[in-house]
Amino acid sequence: MNYDSWAALRGKIKSKKGIWRIGEGVESHGYDLINDLVGHYSFMQVVVLNATGRMPSRALAHWFEAVHMCLSWPDPRIWCNRIGALGGSAGASVVAATSAGIMATDSRAYGIRPIVEGMEFIQRAQTEVSSEGGSAAEFVAREVKKHNGKPYLMGYARPVAKGDERIAALERVARQHDFTRGPHMRLAGEIEALLSEQFDESMNINGYVSAFLSDLGFSAEEVYRIFSVVVFSGITACYVDSADRPAGHFAPLQVDDIEYSGKEDRQIGGK
Amino acid sequence: MSSASANVRSRGEKFTPRIETKITRETSAAHNPFLVEQCRMHGYDHLELIDRCEFSDVIFLLLRGELPEPGERRLFRRLSIALINPGPRHPATQASITAGVGKTLTVNVLPIALSIFGGEFDGAGGVEQAMRYYRRASRKPAAEAAAAANPPPGFGTLYGDPDTYAEKLLRHLLQGDGEYRILDWVRQLHELLRPRQLGILKAGICAAALADLGFQPRQGNSLMQLMAAPGLLAHGLEFANKPLTSMLFEPDSSYEVEYPAAGEQAAAEQT
């Protein structure tokens, strides 16, 4: 039957991740969660384990934690944070508001999806440039041409500002743990130099993270899963700020603050 | 702040000081500029809409900018009911029930269910792509689309076979008055693909009808979510007062854990 694979799973659960055996313990990826992991591994190591099935080194988990810090700004003008702040102002729960802000970062414009595209971009760039006769300059020229002469390369430039202070911070953490630059990071640097010279644009955190993790063999999908809630703490901060103020006091708008540009007044039936 | 931050420059983009909308025109109360005296939607007085329109008419108005003509009204209303209840076995309904029985805040039940309904498996995730495809491909005979190697967007199988209930819904929607060019083209395509064990999916029906009604593809996924919301919500709330034991919790004997090979695990820890 065409439905055999579904029928075989009726009333059953199959897992490659773990199980809670009541009275015995909790298994996670073959580890005893309570006795092997708690107190022995960091939270971020377990986050990466759950997302990829692989336990990273404590050093790499520390670097992942730093990325979460770099993307958790308590400024409510940032789009996901604004949603958290509006939730606080509206009296929504912290869970609802933070979750809503996280969902907003499932966006191609900012947040998590650009990192996925950044991973795909730098890995494709590496493949094309390392092929016979390829060069970073030719690759950049082709990509710019694809975008009608604009430097819209994933991992370069960023909304609102030019330059990205978070890269230096993440490089500092990488140096603390003796991570070295691999081929993807070297190529990312070459591309940045070309864009800087031609368009006054530089790498953003997305480009840096994508190159760093590509050098360590992560896939785009794995990175998407690891960073699924990467912005959450900044959203919570903005929620708390407005939730602790009187209701409706975050960026309130008067009726006249909205500009209407639609249809003139009319009646149903055209009268 | 650090020197790294000092190297970041604002792009100097001009953000609007006022939100502009074509949908809602509010008039403020004389004594308080935050309160509303009158509200119009696309030019119509809200109170007149209450007296003279059906709920589905005003949804149509909000998203299309015009009240529906009689034929549009009939199709939109029938489509809304056709998609109103994904049923208790749907993953989104299961999520709703799980939230309800878990005593989640009731205001979170619907967002939870709709988030899961955004997936592509029997859900709303594929409507936009199907709308784009139907609007373009339906200018040519359905036979040309049927000749393609891959199933067209909005077509496929559910649990291994063509979706019998989606097929029934498609035929039912086409009964009665009204000529719906894209919906009829999709029916022809369905008949041509049926011998290949492919059929119309509910997302395909939604896409075809919304395209006929003049909605934009970008509105498609969300509109299918909106139409399914009542059924998703009803099932979740049905369980909100029931004990935890009224929801599935598979016994250990039906739970199978299969960890990846040890070699794969060990290699990963070197990261």
mmCIF file of all heavy atoms in Angstrom, chain A residues 2-22:
data_model
loop_
_atom_site.group_PDB
_atom_site.id
_atom_site.type_symbol
_atom_site.label_atom_id
_atom_site.label_comp_id
_atom_site.label_asym_id
_atom_site.label_seq_id
_atom_site.Cartn_x
_atom_site.Cartn_y
_atom_site.Cartn_z
ATOM 1 N N ASN A 2 0.350 2.308 -0.594
ATOM 2 C CA ASN A 2 1.137 3.545 -0.648
ATOM 3 C C ASN A 2 1.273 4.223 0.715
ATOM 4 O O ASN A 2 2.100 5.116 0.880
ATOM 5 C CB ASN A 2 0.487 4.525 -1.636
ATOM 6 C CG ASN A 2 0.563 4.016 -3.062
ATOM 7 O OD1 ASN A 2 1.466 3.255 -3.396
ATOM 8 N ND2 ASN A 2 -0.389 4.425 -3.892
ATOM 9 N N TYR A 3 0.419 3.817 1.667
ATOM 10 C CA TYR A 3 0.443 4.481 2.983
ATOM 11 C C TYR A 3 1.180 3.646 4.035
ATOM 12 O O TYR A 3 1.085 3.940 5.227
ATOM 13 C CB TYR A 3 -0.981 4.801 3.440
ATOM 14 C CG TYR A 3 -1.913 3.617 3.492
ATOM 15 C CD1 TYR A 3 -1.939 2.763 4.598
ATOM 16 C CD2 TYR A 3 -2.779 3.342 2.440
ATOM 17 C CE1 TYR A 3 -2.782 1.670 4.651
ATOM 18 C CE2 TYR A 3 -3.628 2.254 2.479
ATOM 19 C CZ TYR A 3 -3.625 1.418 3.583
ATOM 20 O OH TYR A 3 -4.466 0.335 3.630
ATOM 21 N N ASP A 4 1.912 2.631 3.612
ATOM 22 C CA ASP A 4 2.545 1.712 4.566
ATOM 23 C C ASP A 4 3.463 2.421 5.567
ATOM 24 O O ASP A 4 3.495 2.080 6.741
ATOM 25 C CB ASP A 4 3.338 0.634 3.830
ATOM 26 C CG ASP A 4 2.422 -0.442 3.256
ATOM 27 O OD1 ASP A 4 1.229 -0.426 3.623
ATOM 28 O OD2 ASP A 4 2.889 -1.256 2.445
ATOM 29 N N SER A 5 4.226 3.408 5.081
ATOM 30 C CA SER A 5 5.199 4.044 5.980
ATOM 31 C C SER A 5 4.490 4.820 7.086
ATOM 32 O O SER A 5 5.001 4.931 8.200
ATOM 33 C CB SER A 5 6.152 4.953 5.200
ATOM 34 O OG SER A 5 5.444 6.018 4.625
ATOM 35 N N TRP A 6 3.302 5.353 6.785
ATOM 36 C CA TRP A 6 2.533 6.049 7.823
ATOM 37 C C TRP A 6 1.882 5.033 8.758
ATOM 38 O O TRP A 6 1.897 5.211 9.974
ATOM 39 C CB TRP A 6 1.466 6.948 7.190
ATOM 40 C CG TRP A 6 2.053 8.161 6.545
ATOM 41 C CD1 TRP A 6 2.353 9.350 7.154
ATOM 42 C CD2 TRP A 6 2.421 8.317 5.172
ATOM 43 N NE1 TRP A 6 2.892 10.229 6.224
ATOM 44 C CE2 TRP A 6 2.938 9.634 5.014
ATOM 45 C CE3 TRP A 6 2.367 7.487 4.054
ATOM 46 C CZ2 TRP A 6 3.394 10.111 3.780
ATOM 47 C CZ3 TRP A 6 2.823 7.971 2.832
ATOM 48 C CH2 TRP A 6 3.332 9.261 2.707
ATOM 49 N N ALA A 7 1.326 3.986 8.179
ATOM 50 C CA ALA A 7 0.635 2.973 8.984
ATOM 51 C C ALA A 7 1.593 2.336 9.990
ATOM 52 O O ALA A 7 1.210 2.015 11.118
ATOM 53 C CB ALA A 7 0.024 1.924 8.071
ATOM 54 N N ALA A 8 2.852 2.197 9.590
ATOM 55 C CA ALA A 8 3.838 1.552 10.472
ATOM 56 C C ALA A 8 4.118 2.390 11.714
ATOM 57 O O ALA A 8 4.646 1.874 12.701
ATOM 58 C CB ALA A 8 5.123 1.301 9.697
ATOM 59 N N LEU A 9 3.803 3.679 11.657
ATOM 60 C CA LEU A 9 4.116 4.579 12.781
ATOM 61 C C LEU A 9 2.896 4.910 13.643
ATOM 62 O O LEU A 9 2.999 5.698 14.581
ATOM 63 C CB LEU A 9 4.744 5.877 12.258
ATOM 64 C CG LEU A 9 6.199 5.722 11.836
ATOM 65 C CD1 LEU A 9 6.669 6.947 11.074
ATOM 66 C CD2 LEU A 9 7.091 5.494 13.054
ATOM 67 N N ARG A 10 1.746 4.317 13.310
ATOM 68 C CA ARG A 10 0.539 4.597 14.126
ATOM 69 C C ARG A 10 0.785 4.191 15.567
ATOM 70 O O ARG A 10 1.165 3.069 15.866
ATOM 71 C CB ARG A 10 -0.647 3.813 13.599
ATOM 72 C CG ARG A 10 -1.320 4.459 12.420
ATOM 73 C CD ARG A 10 -2.519 3.636 11.981
ATOM 74 N NE ARG A 10 -3.582 3.627 12.972
ATOM 75 C CZ ARG A 10 -4.200 2.510 13.369
ATOM 76 N NH1 ARG A 10 -3.847 1.336 12.906
ATOM 77 N NH2 ARG A 10 -5.179 2.591 14.256
ATOM 78 N N GLY A 11 0.571 5.133 16.482
ATOM 79 C CA GLY A 11 0.697 4.820 17.907
ATOM 80 C C GLY A 11 2.125 4.624 18.377
ATOM 81 O O GLY A 11 2.354 4.181 19.500
ATOM 82 N N LYS A 12 3.086 4.910 17.537
ATOM 83 C CA LYS A 12 4.492 4.700 17.899
ATOM 84 C C LYS A 12 5.277 5.984 17.745
ATOM 85 O O LYS A 12 4.917 6.850 16.961
ATOM 86 C CB LYS A 12 5.116 3.632 16.992
ATOM 87 C CG LYS A 12 4.510 2.258 17.150
ATOM 88 C CD LYS A 12 5.155 1.299 16.186
ATOM 89 C CE LYS A 12 4.463 -0.069 16.279
ATOM 90 N NZ LYS A 12 4.873 -0.955 15.187
ATOM 91 N N ILE A 13 6.376 6.072 18.475
ATOM 92 C CA ILE A 13 7.305 7.186 18.283
ATOM 93 C C ILE A 13 8.679 6.602 18.036
ATOM 94 O O ILE A 13 9.123 5.685 18.740
ATOM 95 C CB ILE A 13 7.303 8.116 19.518
ATOM 96 C CG1 ILE A 13 5.996 8.905 19.555
ATOM 97 C CG2 ILE A 13 8.512 9.050 19.500
ATOM 98 C CD1 ILE A 13 5.896 9.921 20.639
ATOM 99 N N LYS A 14 9.328 7.119 17.013
ATOM 100 C CA LYS A 14 10.723 6.755 16.756
ATOM 101 C C LYS A 14 11.569 7.988 16.972
ATOM 102 O O LYS A 14 11.229 9.066 16.494
ATOM 103 C CB LYS A 14 10.897 6.255 15.318
ATOM 104 C CG LYS A 14 10.375 4.857 15.086
ATOM 105 C CD LYS A 14 10.882 4.298 13.763
ATOM 106 C CE LYS A 14 10.519 2.821 13.659
ATOM 107 N NZ LYS A 14 11.126 2.197 12.470
ATOM 108 N N SER A 15 12.679 7.847 17.665
ATOM 109 C CA SER A 15 13.514 9.010 17.969
ATOM 110 C C SER A 15 14.982 8.678 17.765
ATOM 111 O O SER A 15 15.430 7.570 18.061
ATOM 112 C CB SER A 15 13.295 9.435 19.430
ATOM 113 O OG SER A 15 14.213 10.438 19.779
ATOM 114 N N LYS A 16 15.692 9.645 17.236
ATOM 115 C CA LYS A 16 17.154 9.553 17.168
ATOM 116 C C LYS A 16 17.785 10.466 18.206
ATOM 117 O O LYS A 16 19.001 10.660 18.210
ATOM 118 C CB LYS A 16 17.644 9.950 15.769
ATOM 119 C CG LYS A 16 17.239 8.992 14.670
ATOM 120 C CD LYS A 16 17.787 9.462 13.331
ATOM 121 C CE LYS A 16 17.400 8.458 12.250
ATOM 122 N NZ LYS A 16 17.818 8.910 10.923
ATOM 123 N N LYS A 17 16.937 11.069 19.030
ATOM 124 C CA LYS A 17 17.426 12.107 19.942
ATOM 125 C C LYS A 17 17.467 11.656 21.400
ATOM 126 O O LYS A 17 18.450 11.940 22.097
ATOM 127 C CB LYS A 17 16.538 13.350 19.833
ATOM 128 C CG LYS A 17 16.321 13.847 18.417
ATOM 129 C CD LYS A 17 17.620 14.194 17.712
ATOM 130 C CE LYS A 17 18.124 15.549 18.074
ATOM 131 N NZ LYS A 17 19.358 15.903 17.327
ATOM 132 N N GLY A 18 16.420 10.991 21.876
ATOM 133 C CA GLY A 18 16.449 10.593 23.268
ATOM 134 C C GLY A 18 15.093 10.196 23.802
ATOM 135 O O GLY A 18 14.107 10.144 23.055
ATOM 136 N N ILE A 19 15.041 9.940 25.103
ATOM 137 C CA ILE A 19 13.802 9.495 25.740
ATOM 138 C C ILE A 19 13.886 9.744 27.250
ATOM 139 O O ILE A 19 14.979 9.690 27.834
ATOM 140 C CB ILE A 19 13.562 7.981 25.464
ATOM 141 C CG1 ILE A 19 12.244 7.518 26.096
ATOM 142 C CG2 ILE A 19 14.737 7.128 25.972
ATOM 143 C CD1 ILE A 19 11.853 6.077 25.709
ATOM 144 N N TRP A 20 12.737 10.030 27.801
ATOM 145 C CA TRP A 20 12.602 10.069 29.271
ATOM 146 C C TRP A 20 12.049 8.719 29.704
ATOM 147 O O TRP A 20 10.912 8.385 29.393
ATOM 148 C CB TRP A 20 11.647 11.197 29.672
ATOM 149 C CG TRP A 20 11.275 11.213 31.120
ATOM 150 C CD1 TRP A 20 12.033 10.808 32.186
ATOM 151 C CD2 TRP A 20 10.015 11.640 31.681
ATOM 152 N NE1 TRP A 20 11.347 10.980 33.360
ATOM 153 C CE2 TRP A 20 10.100 11.493 33.083
ATOM 154 C CE3 TRP A 20 8.853 12.154 31.121
ATOM 155 C CZ2 TRP A 20 9.049 11.827 33.931
ATOM 156 C CZ3 TRP A 20 7.807 12.492 31.962
ATOM 157 C CH2 TRP A 20 7.904 12.334 33.353
ATOM 158 N N ARG A 21 12.867 7.926 30.392
ATOM 159 C CA ARG A 21 12.400 6.636 30.917
ATOM 160 C C ARG A 21 12.046 6.871 32.377
ATOM 161 O O ARG A 21 12.942 7.044 33.214
ATOM 162 C CB ARG A 21 13.485 5.559 30.803
ATOM 163 C CG ARG A 21 13.874 5.233 29.362
ATOM 164 C CD ARG A 21 14.852 4.060 29.310
ATOM 165 N NE ARG A 21 15.553 3.998 28.042
ATOM 166 C CZ ARG A 21 15.071 3.454 26.922
ATOM 167 N NH1 ARG A 21 13.866 2.915 26.939
ATOM 168 N NH2 ARG A 21 15.781 3.456 25.815
ATOM 169 N N ILE A 22 10.764 6.884 32.646
ATOM 170 C CA ILE A 22 10.303 7.258 33.988
ATOM 171 C C ILE A 22 10.865 6.285 35.027
ATOM 172 O O ILE A 22 10.743 5.079 34.894
ATOM 173 C CB ILE A 22 8.767 7.292 34.027
ATOM 174 C CG1 ILE A 22 8.255 8.346 33.033
ATOM 175 C CG2 ILE A 22 8.265 7.611 35.443
ATOM 176 C CD1 ILE A 22 6.763 8.370 32.835
#
